[in-house]
Amino acid sequence: MSLHHILLDLVLLLTITTVSVILFKRVKLGSVVGLLMAGVVLGPSGLAITEDPEGLRHVTELGVVFLLFIIGLEMQPEKLWSLRRDVFGLGSLQLSVTAIAITFYTIFLGYTWNAALILGLGLAMSSTAFVMQLLEERNETSTEFGQTTFAILLLQDLAIVPVLALVPLLSNQPTQANNIPFWQQGANVFGGLLVVYLLGFYVVPFVLKIVVRQRNREAIAGIVGLTVIGSAWVMDTVGLSMSLGAFFIGMLLSGSHYRHYLEAEIEPFKNLLLSLFFISVGMSINLDAFLQESFQMVGHALALMLVKAIILFGLCLAFRFSRLTALRVATFLPQNGEFGFVLFSAAVATKLISDEAFSWLVMIIVISMVTTPILVRFGDTLTQRLSPTAMGEDHLQTSSKRRLRSRKAVLVIGYGRVGQVVCTILERMNIPYLALEKDLDQVAAGRKVGRSVYFGDVNNPRILSAVRVHRARAVVITVGESKITEKLVNLLQSSYPNLPLVVRTRNLEQREKMLAIGVSHVVPEVVESALMMGEKTLEIVGISELESSSLLSLLRKDEYAALHLSKH
């Protein structure tokens, strides 16, 4: 293919994708549906810019891997342990009960029991990539139903390994996997988990410490990418899920002070590959086959989604979640997941199902994904219209839990002497905070005494996104370099205009610059130090505390005008 054709395909890809995402977000169906529809237009049924959409999908599955790595970074082991009831209790029951129901459904359609069991297990799983993207777009990852949804998805990711192992066992085709003793397969799995554990707990933090001290950003980016892809490769080699490997190493690194920096480095790759993944899924849609048998395909897809939604709703109620939470989980998780592409491909290879059945299953998965945003909107509307008397107690319970989970923290930028004092004040008042500092020694000192201090260079704007700056109660900028402060203030004001800022400056001249660009809370360090010295002097010579406080208040009025200071 010539360079001209490659450039033309890229122009088509970017144009159609951008227009599609804008349109579908405008009608509140979400960017994921826009990406799927762009894939339909660009795929074999449309403009056919690639002849191998399946190969593209295999490559872009790394987007799902990167997404799970970022989720792992936010899921510290103690937090995962707190979700054990939802993961291993609710998640296990959801998968097993739904799989049994769909197995009987597919047996009724004429499949053999072994093929029906694989179809039941595959269709019982939901789309981690799709659902987590929806939750992130709606800022609902940390809500009660968001955590419950994640717990179910995590169990499904853990179940991928044994389900894949069932395929050769249920088929009548001799495979290499059948000849490997069970103890050897177990040893391989244990070895893979051990390798990832050693990488995440010892090797990666040690290497990052060396490279960060050298301020070698290119090497840091390479190490982050190698960490994620390397762990995915190790898991894939021993027969485990790539996504599980990325999640595991992300969770191991979640306690590291590099956590937010790692997320900032990996975010652009995740966004690009995840978008391409959904486009490649859209390319898998065969429009001709869909138009010929659309009624049957849509009917089966909706029937399977209804079965899953009913089971999800009932199990959530059985686990004593509120009806609001149960309803929202049921409307977020009834779709079929991307793992179905992998599982059903393996089933075709072992002759468990036919090529024609595989095409049908791909269409059902895609239809369920496209339908999910509509179902989510329906769930939102239904939730809002439920009787206040019937749902009042549930709504109060859910709202209070959300408020506790979403308690906003103060972001402190710079953990030098000034930053340490600010963090001490916030601690004394029990106000949550997160501090960013680019000096590793300062970070280590802060974490040694149990403070929430993380490595992060604010010259990289992505670090602010990684720490969710838009959710902060306020941002306190304590860095002493005026150029960095000015650049940071301009960035924050342009991207987050309603975010309260408290800025440290050296003198009145710098303070006036900050006031001129709209910062309302600026503290001139030299002037405030002089005022404190003056206050102590007055105390020594016998002036009362009331008199000195009144004088200092007067001197601070009207931009310190009464001090008659030079601005240099």
Side-chain angles (χ1 to χ4, degrees):
M1 182 180 290
S2 67
L3 177 60
H4 175 76
H5 283 95
I6 293 174
L7 291 174
L8 177 61
D9 287 345
L10 284 174
V11 169
L12 289 172
L13 172 67
L14 293 171
T15 302
I16 292 172
T17 300
T18 302
V19 171
S20 181
V21 168
I22 290 173
L23 287 176
F24 279 90
K25 287 204 76 170
R26 188 174 182 82
V27 296
K28 298 183 179 180
L29 289 179
S31 59
V32 175
V33 176
L35 293 168
L36 289 171
M37 292 300 101
V40 173
V41 176
L42 295 165
S45 298
L47 299 175
I49 66 169
T50 177
E51 297 177 356
D52 186 19
E54 185 177 349
L56 176 63
R57 190 176 68 243
H58 289 323
V59 174
T60 57
E61 280 174 6
L62 286 174
V64 183
V65 171
F66 287 142
L67 175 64
L68 264 293
F69 174 71
I70 291 176
I71 293 170
L73 285 175
E74 298 176 352
M75 184 62 63
Q76 296 179 344
E78 56 269 22
K79 186 177 180 181
L80 179 63
W81 181 247
S82 70
L83 290 173
R84 62 190 182 279
R85 173 177 170 270
D86 297 346
V87 174
F88 301 107
L90 177 59
S92 298
L93 275 174
Q94 180 276 328
L95 182 61
S96 54
V97 173
T98 307
I100 291 170
I102 297 177
T103 297
F104 281 110
Y105 180 87
T106 50
I107 288 175
F108 177 77
L109 294 177
Y111 286 92
T112 59
W113 73 268
N114 48 352
L117 180 58
I118 291 298
L119 296 186
L121 288 166
L123 295 173
M125 296 185 183
S126 305
S127 173
T128 300
F130 197 98
V131 174
M132 292 310 299
Q133 183 81 354
L134 279 177
L135 287 173
E136 283 193 0
E137 283 184 359
R138 296 159 60 99
N139 291 323
E140 293 181 314
T141 309
S142 60
T143 60
E144 182 185 40
F145 95 89
Q147 293 289 295
T148 307
T149 299
F150 173 75
I152 295 171
L153 291 171
L154 180 57
L155 187 281
Q156 292 176 0
D157 281 338
L158 293 170
I160 287 172
V161 182
V163 171
L164 268 177
L166 276 177
V167 174
L169 296 176
L170 292 174
S171 71
N172 297 319
Q173 304 291 318
T175 65
Q176 186 178 357
N178 295 109
N179 299 324
I180 300 176
F182 182 77
W183 67 266
Q184 187 175 341
Q185 294 182 41
N188 289 340
V189 169
F190 176 78
L193 291 171
L194 180 61
V195 168
V196 174
Y197 174 80
L198 293 174
L199 283 172
F201 210 76
Y202 297 104
V203 177
V204 175
F206 176 75
V207 174
L208 277 174
K209 184 177 181 180
I210 295 173
V211 177
V212 166
R213 287 190 182 279
Q214 297 174 350
R215 301 187 184 278
N216 190 338
R217 287 194 63 183
E218 291 76 14
I220 295 172
I223 290 168
V224 175
L226 181 61
T227 298
V228 181
I229 296 175
S231 61
W233 174 77
V234 170
M235 292 290 100
D236 186 61
T237 301
V238 299
L240 297 175
S241 160
M242 293 192 300
S243 298
L244 182 61
F247 174 80
F248 184 33
I249 201 165
M251 190 175 65
L252 289 171
L253 291 168
S254 64
S256 164
H257 50 260
Y258 301 108
R259 166 185 159 192
H260 298 294
Y261 192 82
L262 292 171
E263 182 176 346
E265 289 294 323
I266 214 70
E267 186 79 20
F269 301 103
K270 185 265 289 184
N271 290 337
L272 174 63
L273 288 170
L274 203 56
S275 296
L276 289 174
F277 170 76
F278 288 119
I279 290 172
S280 67
V281 170
M283 289 180 177
S284 303
I285 297 177
N286 186 330
L287 276 183
D288 292 334
F290 175 72
L291 292 174
Q292 290 175 8
E293 301 179 279
S294 58
F295 182 77
Q296 296 95 316
M297 287 181 177
V298 172
H300 285 303
L302 294 179
L304 291 170
M305 292 178 74
L306 180 62
V307 169
K308 291 181 73 173
I310 291 172
I311 292 172
L312 282 163
F313 184 79
L315 287 175
C316 285
L317 291 181
F319 273 72
R320 305 202 174 193
F321 286 104
S322 68
R323 280 168 285 179
L324 286 177
T325 297
L327 177 62
R328 303 205 74 192
V329 171
T331 55
F332 263 78
L333 289 176
Q335 81 288 127
N336 310 119
E338 59 278 349
F339 175 63
F341 299 121
V342 179
L343 181 64
F344 300 146
S345 294
V348 170
T350 55
K351 309 298 183 185
L352 263 176
I353 62 174
S354 65
D355 291 331
E356 182 182 358
F358 176 74
S359 298
W360 258 73
L361 290 166
V362 168
M363 285 300 305
I364 286 174
I365 292 173
V366 173
I367 291 169
S368 70
M369 286 182 173
V370 172
T371 309
T372 298
I374 301 171
L375 187 59
V376 167
R377 286 190 65 192
F378 171 74
D380 291 342
T381 303
L382 189 60
T383 300
Q384 293 169 2
R385 291 185 179 180
L386 285 171
S387 168
T389 53
M391 303 298 294
E393 184 179 344
D394 293 337
H395 180 70
L396 180 61
Q397 178 185 0
T398 304
S399 298
S400 62
K401 288 185 178 180
R402 270 189 200 169
R403 282 196 294 273
L404 289 172
R405 290 180 183 272
S406 61
R407 190 182 179 195
K408 291 184 176 182
V410 173
L411 175 61
V412 180
I413 298 178
Y415 189 71
R417 287 170 297 179
V418 177
Q420 290 171 35
V421 172
V422 172
C423 291
T424 300
I425 293 171
L426 293 171
E427 278 182 358
R428 293 293 177 90
M429 299 303 294
N430 292 319
I431 297 172
Y433 68 89
L434 184 151
L436 288 177
E437 172 59 53
K438 65 178 180 180
D439 186 320
L440 279 178
D441 294 330
Q442 293 280 30
V443 174
R447 293 182 71 84
K448 189 176 181 180
V449 295
R451 286 186 164 173
S452 182
V453 186
Y454 293 90
F455 173 76
D457 186 353
V458 292
N459 286 315
N460 177 6
R462 292 197 301 270
I463 195 72
L464 297 175
S465 175
V467 298
R468 310 294 191 269
V469 67
H470 62 282
R471 299 181 188 173
R473 186 184 296 185
V475 176
V476 183
I477 303 174
T478 71
V479 293
E481 301 173 52
S482 58
K483 288 184 178 178
I484 294 177
T485 299
E486 192 171 342
K487 177 182 176 182
L488 189 55
V489 167
N490 286 327
L491 174 64
L492 289 170
Q493 288 196 319
S494 61
S495 302
Y496 314 99
N498 298 321
L499 192 62
L501 301 179
V502 180
V503 179
R504 165 200 178 189
T505 62
R506 292 286 296 171
N507 51 45
L508 287 179
E509 182 183 22
Q510 293 174 7
R511 181 175 186 270
E512 286 196 356
K513 284 184 180 179
M514 292 295 104
L515 292 172
I517 59 176
V519 181
S520 54
H521 306 288
V522 187
V523 181
E525 179 182 7
V526 174
V527 178
E528 284 296 325
S529 298
L531 288 173
M532 290 183 67
M533 291 179 70
E535 184 179 23
K536 292 297 179 185
T537 305
L538 292 176
E539 181 183 336
I540 292 171
V541 299
I543 303 299
S544 70
E545 183 179 347
L546 178 61
E547 286 181 286
S548 61
S549 296
S550 299
L551 176 59
L552 262 63
S553 298
L554 176 65
L555 294 175
R556 287 189 176 105
K557 283 182 66 177
D558 300 323
E559 314 299 339
Y560 303 92
L563 291 173
H564 304 294
L565 289 175
S566 167
K567 295 176 182 177
H568 298 281

